[in-house]
Amino acid sequence: MENSIKTDGKYRYIEVGEGTPMIILHGLMGGLSNFEGVTNYFPKKGYQVLVPELPIYSMPMLKTNVKNFAKYLEQFIEYKGLKDVILLGNSLGGHIGLLHTKLYPEMVKALVITGSSGLYESAMGDGYPKRGDYEFIKKKAQDVFYDPAVATKEIVDEVFATVNDRMKLVKTLAIAKSAIRHNMSKDLPHMLTPTCIIWGENDSVTPPNVAKEFHELLPDSDLFWIEKCGHAPMMEHPDEFNDILAKWLEKRKF
């Protein structure tokens, strides 16, 4: 994945394929490679898949919040000259997608959220994160998935490095607080953008009742479940995730 990251102006992103633009938004601890399954699958279906690297750790401290990430996304869309985009976000990425859709509804044709924050957040858990305790961080990373084996050493090492970098840790906590503050329950009933909600039945970070609440509050949404699956369905069950999304896009003629 690393080789295919483009640097263009102030943006770093992956871009594959041609056609309807699909922008993928990663979560707080998630790298661009978390969406490898989606990035490999949808270009063959006639989509231009873009995965921008969000400036989670490079934004000035006072601007490190969900709203500024949504504005950054809008600047990226304008920079690339895109319109009628499909936004796909996991965890914090879903929240950024939701807020962007609220702020710029004319730009977004469809929204896809999975394990999204915006209504409820236990992502920081209890006493998280403990710096310097590798086993604790490993357990936390494994808890994100139904199958702990998905939390490879590479993933655990990345999270461990993040929480042991003081500035990154401070920003991680600032973003988590911003996500909790920026609850969208009052906004969702006014958001008419067609939304596909794909959720892991065993998500312990944003539990299943969160998905049901998103579904109830969003006027035009469809909810799909993936069994034996935690907080990142596109990583744990990439084939099933892609299949659900492809069928939904086809049914909605997107």
Side-chain angles (χ1 to χ4, degrees), residues 117-247:
S117 59
L119 285 177
Y120 166 91
E121 197 53 90
S122 78
M124 291 297 121
D126 42 329
Y128 175 79
K130 281 186 193 169
R131 296 171 73 186
D133 185 341
Y134 188 85
E135 284 308 309
F136 178 84
I137 298 296
K138 182 179 176 182
K139 173 81 172 70
K140 279 285 177 194
Q142 289 174 338
D143 286 350
V144 169
F145 306 103
Y146 176 80
D147 176 6
V150 179
T152 58
K153 185 176 185 305
E154 189 185 2
I155 288 171
V156 178
D157 287 351
E158 202 175 311
V159 176
F160 186 72
T162 298
V163 300
N164 281 283
D165 177 322
R166 192 180 169 280
M167 200 60 220
K168 283 187 175 179
L169 176 61
V170 169
K171 288 195 169 181
T172 298
L173 295 172
I175 294 163
K177 283 179 186 154
S178 158
I180 293 163
R181 270 198 316 272
H182 214 115
N183 186 289
M184 295 193 65
S185 52
K186 291 186 173 69
D187 301 319
L188 299 177
H190 308 290
M191 291 170 56
L192 305 175
T193 305
T195 306
C196 178
I197 305 166
I198 306 175
W199 224 264
E201 282 189 357
N202 311 91
D203 188 341
S204 62
V205 180
T206 44
N209 60 302
V210 180
K212 290 174 187 166
E213 196 175 338
F214 271 121
H215 185 38
E216 282 163 17
L217 291 171
L218 284 161
D220 185 9
S221 64
D222 296 293
L223 172 57
F224 303 94
W225 298 102
I226 296 183
E227 290 178 12
K228 296 184 178 174
C229 182
H231 187 54
M234 71 290 162
M235 285 176 77
E236 272 199 272
H237 297 281
D239 294 342
E240 194 175 344
F241 183 90
N242 289 341
D243 189 51
I244 290 169
L245 180 52
K247 283 177 178 161

Side-chain angles (χ1 to χ4, degrees), residues 20-22 45-47 84 86 109-111 193-196 220 246 248-254:
T20 304
M22 179 187 288
K45 295 264 181 189
Y47 294 89
D84 292 336
I86 296 165
K109 179 156 69 169
L111 180 62
T193 305
T195 306
C196 178
D220 185 9
W248 185 80
L249 292 169
E250 195 178 330
K251 186 183 168 191
R252 293 290 194 129
K253 297 185 169 53
F254 295 143

Side-chain angles (χ1 to χ4, degrees), residues 17-104:
E18 292 176 2
T20 304
M22 179 187 288
I23 299 177
I24 294 173
L25 304 164
H26 61 81
L28 185 54
M29 293 285 189
L32 309 193
S33 60
N34 292 11
F35 286 89
E36 207 158 352
V38 177
T39 313
N40 291 338
Y41 181 84
F42 281 94
K44 300 171 197 160
K45 295 264 181 189
Y47 294 89
Q48 175 191 12
V49 178
L50 301 110
V51 195
E53 199 170 77
L54 298 170
I56 284 175
Y57 302 120
S58 55
M59 275 263 191
M61 191 62 206
L62 289 171
K63 292 190 166 182
T64 300
N65 58 49
V66 179
K67 190 169 188 179
N68 279 311
F69 295 139
K71 287 180 178 172
Y72 179 89
L73 171 59
E74 178 55 22
Q75 289 161 8
F76 175 72
I77 290 170
E78 283 184 22
Y79 182 79
K80 292 294 292 176
L82 305 170
K83 54 182 195 286
D84 292 336
V85 301
I86 296 165
L87 296 180
L88 192 177
N90 172 238
S91 200
L92 174 73
H95 199 164
I96 294 165
L98 282 157
L99 185 56
H100 179 279
T101 302
K102 180 209 162 187
L103 296 172
Y104 312 99

